Amino acid sequence: MHTLPAVTEPLTTKSRSEMIEITKLVQRHVQINRVTDGMVIVYVPHTTAAVTINENADPDVKHDLLRKLDALIPKAETYYQHGEGNSDSHLKTSMLGNSVTVLIERGKLILGTWQGIQFCEFDGPRTRSVLIKIVSFDRPTSD
Amino acid sequence: MHTLPAVTEPLTTKSRSEMIEITKLVQRHVQINRVTDGMVIVYVPHTTAAVTINENADPDVKHDLLRKLDALIPKAETYYQHGEGNSDSHLKTSMLGNSVTVLIERGKLILGTWQGIQFCEFDGPRTRSVLIKIVSFDRPTSD
Amino acid sequence: MHTLPAVTEPLTTKSRSEMIEITKLVQRHVQINRVTDGMVIVYVPHTTAAVTINENADPDVKHDLLRKLDALIPKAETYYQHGEGNSDSHLKTSMLGNSVTVLIERGKLILGTWQGIQFCEFDGPRTRSVLIKIVSFDRPTSD
């Protein structure tokens, strides 16, 4: 068992709220490093952007999810004290979470049929980054 | 340190929204495999079902939790675009999360007195599955 | 690769809802144990207290986050059945989650500029505890 250094991947977002699927990006690192058995931790180092695992097919799900989050947690509340006007973005981030753990077996991410890894921007547009850390459970080879 | 292959356990749900405690199911895999020190990742491979750690005693907590979630995020909103009528299920899933990590020490899950591992159905009734992946921190034995 | 036993740290909270930053507490355990490369799992063994990663600078963010959570999920609802009057605390806990995983590289927690590890009390004031489990990816040394 060993680990690979965490890799930072840049992301550019285009809207205030947006979900960007990064499944292939993560899978690519698993393949490049020829990890057969292990796990990957996808970690967002921001406080107004999150990562979640959800629908990879119909983009309407992303629309509905973001729209409903905005309805529940609008940008402004009379009692908000934080001066940057993004308190809603902070709460959405904590609700969805800033990291996910995905298992790797036979060189592939274990994901359900409809699951994709979704980076969630809640205070864009911005330049963001995501950390990909692979923990390999393979025995070290002597090649 | 080594890992065991992820095991898939089937679950049958009976309502649209439902919490099913799976603590004993997870603990059983820890015992069968005689893992003393390690961690278990409980992973739900669906996009409309989640897993969380919460109250294992009074069933009223589950009732209240699900009821309030339904009040906050009802099944229908005029702006929903997704055709399957389960956008609320997707959002609830991302809010609660699709995996939990529980530590194992002395052969047992480290859980607080009132904590149980709760599978959360948000678009049932359905046949579901949950993945149980054990990472053992024990030294390999030569028996 | 090896692990250290989970350490339990006590916390005392002063309000019903409160966020207490525990980043330095967690970092101290990483340093004491001289872990260079690894990960730490911060685990809350309660069902009405959570842990999240969010803003470490402006305390107004904490205020706004807790205030908005209270507005969304007030203490009382006519349909609550649980007799302890803390159903809201249980739901907030499941929404924010009861554990976070933080990576360690070069002896330090990998956190974004504005990120801090925040213990979240939702049913205080109380005496609480938090578990800190370090998994080291360092090779064992023979000193």
Side-chain angles (χ1 to χ4, degrees), chain B residues 53-56 61 65 112-116, chain C residues 44-50 86-87 89-94 98 122-123 126 128:
Chain B
I53 291 177
N54 216 309
E55 176 84 11
N56 61 6
V61 173
L65 208 149
T113 314
W114 307 107
Q115 286 186 324
Chain C
V44 174
H46 307 291
T47 55
T48 54
N86 62 359
S87 292
S89 322
H90 285 282
L91 179 53
K92 290 168 189 164
T93 297
S94 275
N98 80 315
F122 289 126
D123 192 30
R126 290 208 203 184
R128 298 289 201 174

Side-chain angles (χ1 to χ4, degrees), chain B residues 68-80:
Chain B
K68 178 63 190 179
L69 265 180
D70 276 337
L72 278 174
I73 309 166
K75 190 174 186 305
E77 295 288 357
T78 51
Y79 47 77
Y80 280 163

Side-chain angles (χ1 to χ4, degrees), chain A residues 1-2 135-139, chain B residues 1-3 37-39 135-140, chain C residues 1-3 135-137:
Chain A
M1 197 179 300
H2 60 286
V135 179
S136 169
F137 301 147
D138 297 325
R139 288 165 181 277
Chain B
M1 195 179 302
H2 60 285
T3 57
D37 188 28
M39 66 182 189
V135 179
S136 169
F137 301 147
D138 297 324
R139 288 164 183 278
Chain C
M1 195 179 300
H2 60 286
T3 58
V135 180
S136 169
F137 302 147

Side-chain angles (χ1 to χ4, degrees), chain C residues 110-140:
Chain C
I110 303 186
L111 289 167
T113 313
W114 307 107
Q115 285 186 325
I117 306 171
Q118 308 284 352
F119 178 87
C120 305
E121 172 64 82
F122 289 126
D123 192 30
R126 290 208 203 184
T127 302
R128 298 289 201 174
S129 60
V130 63
L131 269 70
I132 299 168
K133 173 80 172 186
I134 297 176
V135 180
S136 169
F137 302 147
D138 297 326
R139 288 165 181 278

Side-chain angles (χ1 to χ4, degrees), chain C:
Chain C
M1 195 179 300
H2 60 286
T3 58
L4 305 163
V7 175
T8 303
E9 285 281 355
L11 288 175
T12 304
T13 61
K14 292 172 182 166
S15 312
R16 185 161 197 272
S17 286
E18 186 179 356
M19 291 173 80
I20 299 174
E21 189 175 346
I22 56 170
T23 312
K24 283 178 187 166
L25 182 68
V26 176
Q27 179 66 45
R28 193 154 61 227
H29 284 279
V30 173
Q31 280 166 333
I32 288 168
N33 293 290
R34 298 183 190 180
V35 177
T36 302
D37 189 28
M39 66 181 189
V40 56
I41 297 163
V42 180
Y43 185 93
V44 174
H46 307 291
T47 55
T48 54
V51 62
T52 191
I53 291 176
N54 215 308
E55 178 83 9
N56 60 6
D58 183 356
D60 285 343
V61 173
K62 295 185 190 185
H63 166 274
D64 294 357
L65 207 149
L66 294 173
R67 186 81 157 70
K68 178 63 190 180
L69 266 180
D70 275 339
L72 278 174
I73 309 166
K75 189 174 186 307
E77 297 286 357
T78 52
Y79 47 77
Y80 280 163
Q81 298 181 348
H82 182 52
E84 295 182 19
N86 62 359
S87 292
D88 64 313
S89 322
H90 285 282
L91 179 53
K92 290 168 189 164
T93 297
S94 275
M95 276 191 176
L96 266 61
N98 80 315
S99 91
V100 293
T101 298
V102 183
L103 300 170
I104 303 163
E105 281 187 2
R106 291 172 213 165
K108 291 194 174 172
L109 299 172
I110 303 186
L111 289 167
T113 313
W114 307 107
Q115 285 186 325
I117 306 171
Q118 308 284 352
F119 178 87
C120 305
E121 172 64 82
F122 289 126
D123 192 30
R126 290 208 203 184
T127 302
R128 298 289 201 174
S129 60
V130 63
L131 269 70
I132 299 168
K133 173 80 172 186
I134 297 176
V135 180
S136 169
F137 302 147
D138 297 326
R139 288 165 181 278
T141 51
S142 53
D143 58 354

Side-chain angles (χ1 to χ4, degrees), chain B residues 44-68:
Chain B
V44 174
H46 307 290
T47 55
T48 53
V51 63
T52 191
I53 291 177
N54 216 309
E55 176 84 11
N56 61 6
D58 183 357
D60 285 344
V61 173
K62 296 185 189 184
H63 166 275
D64 293 358
L65 208 149
L66 295 173
R67 185 82 158 70
K68 178 63 190 179

